[in-house]
Amino acid sequence: MFSLGPGFMYRETRSAWVRLRTLILLRWLAIAGQIVAIVVAEHVFAVTLPLGLCLLAVAASVAANLISVFVFPENKRLSETEAMLTLLFDISQLAFLLFLTGGLNNPFALLILAPVTISATALQWRTTVVLGLTAIGLVTLMSVWSLPLRSDAGNLLMMPPIFGFGFWLAIVTGIVFLGLYSWRVASEIHSMADALFATQMALAREQKLTDLGGVVAAAAHELGTPLATIKLVSAELIEELADFPDLRDDAALIRDQADRCRDILRSMGRAGKDDLHLHQAPLTAVIREAAEPHAGRGKAIHYDMSSADPFSDADDRPPNIHRQPEIIHGVRNLVQNAVDFAQSAVWVEAEWTADRITLRIMDDGPGFPPQLIGRIGDPFVRGRRAEPDRGQRPEYEGMGLGLFIAKTLLERSGATLSFANGTAEFPVAPGAALRRGAIVEVVWPRDRIARATNDRLGENRPIAI
């Protein structure tokens, strides 16, 4: 599988995404709203307020913003602790201002949801829990103790107790619900972004290997003729220099080194696929190529590839398909997953018709966890792993990322994937392992990956290096 160090760092440090300037801007908006609310309540609705203390609370926010603007650079990004303290200050300042202006009798008490929602969206869940409990505690205190709201005529402005309790319950419910909802949605967005980032890295790696193989194939092709010429001339020199042993040995050395160069290029050129004639290959060859890295890992891989319509002369031979990196890497990941969990054997079956191409990968392992089978293909699907599983796959954390990458890449090539566990036992031979583990079926429309019979490849072109 492939290393995801940068991806995990990207995921674990998402609190550093919060820019201080963003919170400063939001605070300026809150300050403007608080000032407008105080002025309108005092002069339009004739509500008596402790104006000095209210302005002191607003001034605290203004001072905090000015300090942040002049002390920290514009590109400052907050750590988890810094963001938590910033939002704690905002909750405390708002709670104090609400305490001065009637507590829960003030309809603006609903704004205490904002800092908790921001935390749930951008910070870790522990920080959100701390901020949520703080907000609930302050709202509860305000429901019991707060300065009353009075009009200029001395009339007390307050809700009936039952409405006050209902408002408190609505705020607490809103804090819990919006916090959980925002955290859940943000986590899924971040997980999907990380998984897509890992998928792009895997595809880029496969494409780079394919391109490198193309360079090697081109070199082997271009150097084949001069090496053959060198070998031919050196062989003639060996015959003509029979009376000159020293010169004859030099000619023999030239021939041997030419053979060595040929063998090196041949071994390196096995991975070369950029020759236009190798842009496509038979389905069976592509599948075997994808599974080849896992053939020597102690599990038998059985291949069964045949036409699903044996009575049709047009479909009895395997179709030629385009050698897309998405297909190779996706199938390789599926085979790897099967080999990892198989007890002794993996079956790779392929069949084709005039309309579609189907690939099935099965193993004799324990199968997919029943409680997760509906979520297979989602990134970062974690499940509690037993100790035998940890010993079997010590290098993996069981996050479902490999299957997500395979599913994403194969769907990009036009495939549809389905996952299931074996419900019946299909013995392939007496005493052989039974196909009762995980089953992955990949189905392509044939015209999406198969090369048309009249599709001309054109001439090979030099590779620009």
Side-chain angles (χ1 to χ4, degrees):
M1 189 68 67
F2 117 140
S3 174
L4 294 176
F8 284 118
M9 185 175 295
Y10 170 80
R11 184 169 186 255
E12 293 296 330
T13 60
R14 62 180 177 139
S15 61
W17 295 353
V18 182
R19 294 180 67 243
L20 178 60
R21 290 287 171 173
T22 300
L23 295 184
I24 290 175
L25 176 60
L26 294 176
R27 189 180 289 163
W28 281 126
L29 294 176
I31 290 170
Q34 292 169 2
I35 293 175
V36 170
I38 291 173
V39 171
V40 171
E42 185 80 18
H43 297 284
V44 177
F45 295 102
V47 178
T48 301
L49 300 175
L51 194 57
L53 291 176
C54 290
L55 294 178
L56 180 63
V58 176
S61 286
V62 174
N65 256 11
L66 292 176
I67 292 174
S68 300
V69 168
F70 291 108
V71 172
F72 297 102
E74 291 188 6
N75 60 350
K76 168 69 175 177
R77 294 187 179 272
L78 300 178
S79 66
E80 187 80 16
T81 303
E82 292 170 339
M84 183 183 70
L85 293 177
T86 301
L87 294 175
L88 272 178
F89 172 81
D90 291 335
I91 291 176
S92 303
Q93 187 267 350
L94 179 59
F96 178 66
L97 191 58
L98 292 172
F99 169 80
L100 298 175
T101 56
L104 295 189
N105 293 297
N106 188 333
F108 290 103
L110 193 65
L111 293 177
I112 205 164
L113 295 170
V116 180
T117 304
I118 293 174
S119 173
T121 303
L123 304 180
Q124 299 295 328
W125 67 270
R126 297 180 183 85
T127 302
T128 303
V129 169
V130 171
L131 294 174
L133 292 176
T134 301
I136 291 174
L138 292 175
V139 168
T140 303
L141 289 175
M142 285 188 295
S143 67
V144 180
W145 296 290
S146 63
L147 297 182
L149 281 176
R150 294 184 182 276
S151 65
D152 287 347
N155 298 323
L156 187 63
L157 305 176
M158 64 178 299
M159 293 185 290
I162 188 172
F163 285 101
F165 173 76
F167 193 36
W168 171 84
L169 185 61
I171 293 177
V172 171
T173 304
I175 290 174
V176 175
F177 175 77
L178 287 179
L180 286 174
Y181 179 79
S182 300
W183 174 79
R184 181 68 178 177
V185 171
S187 296
E188 290 180 356
I189 292 174
H190 298 323
S191 295
M192 185 62 68
D194 296 344
L196 290 175
F197 175 72
T199 304
Q200 292 295 333
M201 290 182 62
L203 182 58
R205 176 178 177 273
E206 189 68 34
Q207 186 66 55
K208 187 175 295 185
L209 291 176
T210 301
D211 294 342
L212 181 60
V215 174
V216 174
H221 177 74
E222 297 296 332
L223 292 177
T225 300
L227 286 176
T229 303
I230 293 174
K231 182 178 180 180
L232 177 62
V233 172
S234 61
E236 294 177 351
L237 288 176
I238 291 174
E239 294 178 358
E240 296 178 359
L241 296 174
D243 298 333
F244 302 91
D246 293 339
L247 296 178
R248 184 179 180 278
D249 290 342
D250 291 340
L253 179 62
I254 293 174
R255 183 193 60 186
D256 293 341
Q257 293 303 310
D259 288 339
R260 185 185 176 196
C261 290
R262 179 201 60 195
D263 295 338
I264 291 174
L265 288 174
R266 180 179 298 169
S267 63
M268 294 175 64
R270 289 172 185 168
K273 300 295 182 297
D274 202 60
D275 190 306
L276 290 179
H277 289 282
L278 295 174
H279 278 178
Q280 48 85 27
L283 172 67
T284 54
V286 174
I287 293 176
R288 288 178 181 273
E289 177 190 352
E292 182 182 5
H294 305 290
R297 295 180 53 196
K299 311 291 175 63
I301 301 180
H302 304 284
Y303 298 94
D304 183 6
M305 305 182 193
S306 61
S307 171
D309 187 7
F311 299 102
S312 172
D313 295 337
D315 292 331
D316 60 347
R317 291 184 300 175
N320 285 344
I321 66 171
H322 299 288
R323 292 194 65 267
Q324 300 177 20
E326 293 93 335
I327 295 177
I328 296 174
H329 195 87
V331 173
R332 184 171 296 159
N333 269 14
L334 295 179
V335 173
Q336 174 183 346
N337 191 75
V339 170
D340 286 336
F341 289 101
Q343 294 182 6
S344 61
V346 173
W347 290 266
V348 179
E349 297 181 350
E351 61 182 27
W352 54 89
T353 66
D355 299 323
R356 69 177 188 172
I357 296 173
T358 303
L359 171 68
R360 296 185 192 90
I361 299 174
M362 299 168 284
D363 61 70
D364 60 349
F368 297 118
Q371 70 275 13
L372 296 180
I373 198 166
R375 299 178 57 198
I376 292 175
D378 290 344
F380 304 107
V381 175
R382 292 180 181 269
R384 186 177 297 276
R385 300 172 61 203
E387 289 302 322
D389 292 337
R390 294 180 183 273
Q392 185 179 6
R393 303 180 91 201
E395 69 274 23
Y396 298 108
E397 290 298 326
M399 293 171 297
L401 191 56
L403 287 177
F404 171 81
I405 292 175
K407 184 173 182 289
T408 302
L409 293 179
L410 290 173
E411 287 178 344
R412 177 182 291 188
S413 70
T416 301
L417 279 75
S418 58
F419 303 88
N421 286 327
T423 56
E425 299 179 349
F426 303 96
V428 294
L434 303 177
R435 313 181 196 187
R436 56 190 176 191
I439 301 176
V440 182
E441 185 177 75
V442 188
V443 180
W444 290 274
R446 180 162 176 157
D447 57 1
R448 286 294 301 269
I449 63 170
R451 187 179 71 86
T453 55
N454 58 353
D455 183 13
R456 299 186 61 185
L457 293 177
E459 297 181 358
N460 290 331
R461 296 181 299 273
I463 298 178
I465 302 177

